[in-house]
Structure formats: C-alpha cells, structure tokens
Amino acid sequence: MRTATATAALLLMLAAPAAAQAPWPADFTNPRAADGDLVLPMPCGGAMAFRAVETPAGPGALDDRPVTLGTTDPAGGVAEFARREAIAGPFAAEGRDVAVFWIGKYEVTRDQYAAVMEERCPTPAANGRLPAATLSWFDAVAFSQRYTTWLLRNARARLPQADGSPAFVRLPTEEEWEYAARGGAAVSELDFLARTFPMPEGTARYAWFQGPRSAAGRAQPVGMLEPNPLGLHDILGNVGEMVLEPFRAVRVGRLHGQAGGVVVKGGDFRTPETALRASLRIEIPPFDATDGQPTRLASVGFRVALAAHVTTSLRRAEALNRAFEAESRASGTEAENARRQIAALREGADPRLRQGLDRLEAGLMAAERSRLEQERAGIRAQLEGAAVLGRSAGLSQRRLDGFQALIDGGDVVQASPEMRTNWARAAEGLRVERELALDGYARIVADLGRSADRAALTAEAAVVARETEARGAPELGPYLDVATRHAADSRDRGLPPRERLREEVLAAARGTAPPTQA
C-alpha cells in the first residue's frame, strides 16, 4: 500500500517539470500548425496538438453515427472484413451544433513520452521528434494516466469540457482511430469506404512505407508529410498505432466474442505501399512468451485521444435513460404487435419461460433499432441526393443564363450564323440538363414525402447539413432546405406544379427567397 510520503513524492514529481524548462520550439510540438489545432501543455515546457473529429448525428442523447469499418474484400478475412459500428463524440464543436472527439494530430514522440514518464526533462532534439516506439500497450496506458493527472493539476481550464466535466487522455478506441484515419465526416461516403483517405499527390506525400523512396527501413520524424482530410499526420505508415481495446476476430458483420491481444492499426515503415490501408489491423501478444515481459516492438507506437465519461452528471444520466425508454417504445406496427403478444405470454409464465421471452423481446428491440437506423440512413441519403440534383439544376440555369445573354445581347450581331447556332444548341442542352435534374429531384422528394413525416425529415436534414459542412460543402445548405420543405409539404398536398417547383429550386440557387405561393 502506498504511503502518504510516497504519494506526496509522486505528486511532486508530476507537478515539478511544468516550470523546469522553457517552452519547446513549435518544430518539436506542432511542426505543421493549422487552424483548428488544440494545443495542450505538457511537463518540461512541451506541448501536444490535437484535432477535432466531428461525428454528426441526430440531437437525441443516444443518437450516434453508424459507420462501416473494415473492408468489403473477402480477403480481409477474420482480421479486417467489413462490419457495422457506431461512433459519437462527447464534446461540442466550437461555434457549431455537432459533437466531436479529439485525437492526437501526430504520433506521440520520444521527447513527449520522456517529458511525462521520465524524472529528468528531455532537451528537445531531432531524434526526439521521432515517434515513441519500442513501448508496450501498458506503457501507452501509463503515459495516458500520468499525462491526464498532470493536465488536471496544471491545465484543467484548457481541457475540453463535456457537460462541465473535463476531458481525460486515453488511447483511441479502434472505431475512433479508423473513423479518423478514413477522414470521418470530412470526406464523402465513397472516399470513406476506400482503402485510404484521398491522396491526390500520391501515397509518398502522405505516408511513410517500405522502400528507398519512402521510409527506407526506419521510422521518420512526425509531421513531415501531408495530413489526411482531418489534419492528422502519419495516420497510415511510419509506426503502427495501438488502440484501447483488445483484438477480436471478425465474423460476417460483427466482431467475434473472444477478446485477445493488442490491436495495432495502420501499418508502419515496413509495410509495402500497396498494402497500406485504413482497415489494416494486426494482433500482437501483450507479453513476450520467452521472458514474460510486455511486448515492445520498434515498429509500434501510439497516439492519444481526449475523451469524457458518459454519465457526466445526473442530468445527463436522466437524459440517456429517457432516450432509451423512448427508443425502446419506438417501433412499427408489426413489432409492437409482437411485443404485446410477448407481454401476454409472460403473464403467468414460469421463470424459465419468462427468461426466454425476455431474450426474445431484447432481440426484437435490437432488430427494430437496426431497421430504424437503416430508415434514417435512407432518408439522409435521399435528402442529400435531392440537394445535389437541385444544385445541378441551379448550375445548369446559371450557365444557361450566360448563353442566353449572348444570344439576346447586341454583340450577337457580330457573331457568325454558325456561332449563333452553337450557342442556341448549347442553351437547349442546358435546358434539358436542368429539367432532367429537376425530374430526379421531384422523384426523390415525392418518395420522401410518402415515407417520412415532417419531424423525421427535419431531424435527418439537420444531420445532413452538419455532414455537408464537415465536408466543406455548405453550398448544399439552401438546396437541402428547399428539398426538406418540398418533401414535407408533398406528404400533405403533393408536389407543387412543375413551374413553381423549378422557381423555388432556382431561388435556392440564387440565394433568394422562394416566390410567394398563390
């Protein structure tokens, strides 16, 4: 049992380095500074940069973001085959109505590790900017614990808050890591499901991998290459990165029940370029069987995340319970009828039968929850599709206006007959494009009006708005608004006439108020 003297000495050791050294140069803490970085202090004058990862979802306390992780390639097998998971951030984004979690912008470096874990402060040096490796999972967890303790004692006010509760440091979960590595909500669904995040300048500009034109057989200093769409550096390659939970094999669609060793994600400096992928996950044993010591590999390091506990307050716990109760009651007619029958059978049943009925009802609730999630995902996809088609119609109209100005303008007198014919042909082609886009738009919003009520449309439109903002496409917002309104109105009184539908969509393109309805 630790004595009071030993405890005091430990606390003194954790607090002392804060004033022991001048702040490190930015090259050793945040070599590629960018807007949106959260930079937290460390012992010894060090610092660590974090990036926000948005997880757009509905407004409910239990709403989260379903994501597909892994690969649909059957060759991924029990290590990497695709499975459906969910993710949610505990913090609110600054100035935006969207949840986020924070993850390290870079892999933890040698100097950062030493600043927290060693008694003597390191002097920042070039080698200290290499990722900390040859560490065990237990070392990474101990680093997280000690850094949290130091932050709460020395920089509590600078930590993100969740419902008034300060963040703590831990390893990222595997879901958090892969979601962030793929680009999260900052990329399209197609890019998210690709092998790697978009690398328009070629893999060598974004990741260290095997071979003389890249890592050349050794880890490299953090932050030298380009980041992924979330601003994260070296998320693939360089050193593999450990995550919080143990390895589990993949069954078709879900993880297997047996928990095993340490999960290492993303590949390292020995990984061939063609093998780099966001789904890459390997298992390493926690202990070396030859000497019983924790496993430490020169190719394995880690980055950390900022998290918060879930039930941050009584108010939060009550909100979660209310959301659960509402969710457990929400069901379609068939499911509700089945639950009534189960309730009737439960009356007077013996304990063993009641247990079986309880399991049956729990399975029914899970299946219904899955169905509702699929419905919500479908509504979001249709709303985004309608917004994209509306934008396409608006762009066609803008180009058409340009040609029409040429055709109607006085300078047409100077044009040859052939040029006038080409302008007229181009204008007619743009009219056709505009009308085809409007046809597709109308089909989508009419179908949405038949399948979703106004409340569901409004709720899912808010999620899509947050997603498109995260992807840097806020220009879809006006089209999303008008599509949501058209879908909701069509449920009650059908779509407006084609001319008015066109005018209202084009009003969104012009950024003006829709025409007054007769």
Side-chain angles (χ1 to χ4, degrees), residues 327-340 364 368-369 371-372 375:
E327 187 174 279
S328 68
R329 291 193 300 268
S331 61
T333 303
E334 291 184 7
E336 186 60 34
N337 288 340
R339 292 183 65 186
R340 288 197 186 98
L364 179 66
E368 186 63 13
R369 177 70 256 168
R371 183 188 67 80
L372 291 172
E375 285 184 1

Side-chain angles (χ1 to χ4, degrees), residues 354-374:
R354 280 200 299 271
Q355 288 180 351
L357 291 170
D358 289 343
R359 288 194 296 271
L360 178 60
E361 185 173 21
L364 179 66
M365 290 170 60
E368 186 63 13
R369 177 70 256 168
S370 177
R371 183 188 67 80
L372 291 172
E373 285 184 351
Q374 291 174 3

Side-chain angles (χ1 to χ4, degrees), residues 343-413:
L345 290 171
R346 192 182 281 114
E347 292 292 330
D350 62 63
R352 188 170 182 178
L353 178 56
R354 280 200 299 271
Q355 288 180 351
L357 291 170
D358 289 343
R359 288 194 296 271
L360 178 60
E361 185 173 21
L364 179 66
M365 290 170 60
E368 186 63 13
R369 177 70 256 168
S370 177
R371 183 188 67 80
L372 291 172
E373 285 184 351
Q374 291 174 3
E375 285 184 1
R376 292 175 57 185
I379 293 171
R380 293 196 294 270
Q382 286 182 288
L383 282 170
E384 184 172 346
V388 169
L389 286 171
R391 180 175 180 270
S392 178
L395 292 175
S396 295
Q397 182 64 48
R398 189 176 304 168
R399 294 174 61 201
L400 175 58
D401 291 342
F403 278 107
Q404 199 63 50
L406 290 174
I407 294 169
D408 297 339
D411 58 337
V412 175
V413 177

Side-chain angles (χ1 to χ4, degrees), residues 127-168:
N127 280 347
R129 200 172 134 184
L130 291 168
T134 318
L135 302 170
S136 72
W137 182 87
F138 306 99
D139 295 329
V141 171
F143 172 91
S144 303
Q145 179 265 308
R146 290 188 62 171
Y147 186 27
T148 298
T149 300
W150 187 90
L151 283 168
L152 290 173
R153 289 176 57 85
N154 296 277
R156 183 187 182 97
R158 295 177 62 176
L159 288 168
Q161 303 277 317
D163 195 28
S165 178
F168 59 87

Side-chain angles (χ1 to χ4, degrees), residues 3 21 74 113 129 131 152 185 196 240 271 320 332 334-335 340 366 390 402 447 457-459 479 498:
T3 66
Q21 196 163 312
Y113 185 83
R129 200 172 134 184
L152 290 173
T196 70
T271 304
L320 289 168
E334 291 184 7
R340 288 197 186 98
D447 183 62
L457 289 166
T458 301
Y479 304 102
R498 186 182 191 89

Side-chain angles (χ1 to χ4, degrees), residues 136-418:
S136 72
W137 182 87
F138 306 99
D139 295 329
V141 171
F143 172 91
S144 303
Q145 179 265 308
R146 290 188 62 171
Y147 186 27
T148 298
T149 300
W150 187 90
L151 283 168
L152 290 173
R153 289 176 57 85
N154 296 277
R156 183 187 182 97
R158 295 177 62 176
L159 288 168
Q161 303 277 317
D163 195 28
S165 178
F168 59 87
V169 182
R170 60 161 168 75
L171 289 175
T173 67
E174 185 172 357
E175 292 80 10
E176 289 168 343
W177 189 98
E178 189 169 331
Y179 178 79
R182 290 178 176 276
V187 299
S188 70
E189 185 72 8
L190 286 176
D191 286 334
F192 185 88
L193 294 174
R195 285 174 60 88
T196 70
F197 59 85
M199 298 181 176
E201 299 177 55
T203 312
R205 294 287 297 144
Y206 298 87
W208 296 109
F209 50 85
Q210 182 188 72
R213 71 183 187 89
S214 184
R218 59 185 182 275
Q220 301 295 319
V222 303
M224 294 181 67
L225 300 180
E226 297 302 312
N228 83 344
L230 290 173
L232 304 176
H233 293 264
D234 308 308
I235 193 78
L236 299 182
N238 211 23
V239 293
E241 299 182 16
M242 296 178 283
V243 297
L244 184 64
E245 59 271 271
F247 182 91
R248 289 191 288 161
V250 181
R251 296 189 65 180
V252 177
R254 68 171 176 86
L255 293 175
H256 184 260
Q258 178 187 345
V262 176
V263 178
V264 178
K265 296 285 291 181
D268 55 59
F269 57 83
R270 305 168 308 170
T271 304
E273 178 181 2
T274 55
L276 278 181
R277 55 194 184 273
S279 64
L280 183 57
R281 64 195 293 262
I282 62 171
E283 179 186 21
I284 62 173
F287 297 94
D288 186 332
T290 60
D291 60 11
Q293 293 299 308
T295 301
R296 296 178 172 91
L297 300 176
S299 59
V300 174
F302 68 103
R303 74 179 69 213
V304 293
L306 297 177
H309 59 286
V310 176
T311 52
T312 49
S313 66
L314 178 60
R315 178 174 62 85
R316 170 69 172 162
E318 290 174 344
L320 289 168
N321 280 318
R322 285 195 301 270
F324 177 81
E325 290 170 3
E327 187 174 279
S328 68
R329 291 193 300 268
S331 61
T333 303
E334 291 184 7
E336 186 60 34
N337 288 340
R339 292 183 65 186
R340 288 197 186 98
Q341 292 177 25
I342 291 172
L345 290 171
R346 192 182 281 114
E347 292 292 330
D350 62 63
R352 188 170 182 178
L353 178 56
R354 280 200 299 271
Q355 288 180 351
L357 291 170
D358 289 343
R359 288 194 296 271
L360 178 60
E361 185 173 21
L364 179 66
M365 290 170 60
E368 186 63 13
R369 177 70 256 168
S370 177
R371 183 188 67 80
L372 291 172
E373 285 184 351
Q374 291 174 3
E375 285 184 1
R376 292 175 57 185
I379 293 171
R380 293 196 294 270
Q382 286 182 288
L383 282 170
E384 184 172 346
V388 169
L389 286 171
R391 180 175 180 270
S392 178
L395 292 175
S396 295
Q397 182 64 48
R398 189 176 304 168
R399 294 174 61 201
L400 175 58
D401 291 342
F403 278 107
Q404 199 63 50
L406 290 174
I407 294 169
D408 297 339
D411 58 337
V412 175
V413 177
Q414 306 293 328
S416 67
E418 182 181 4

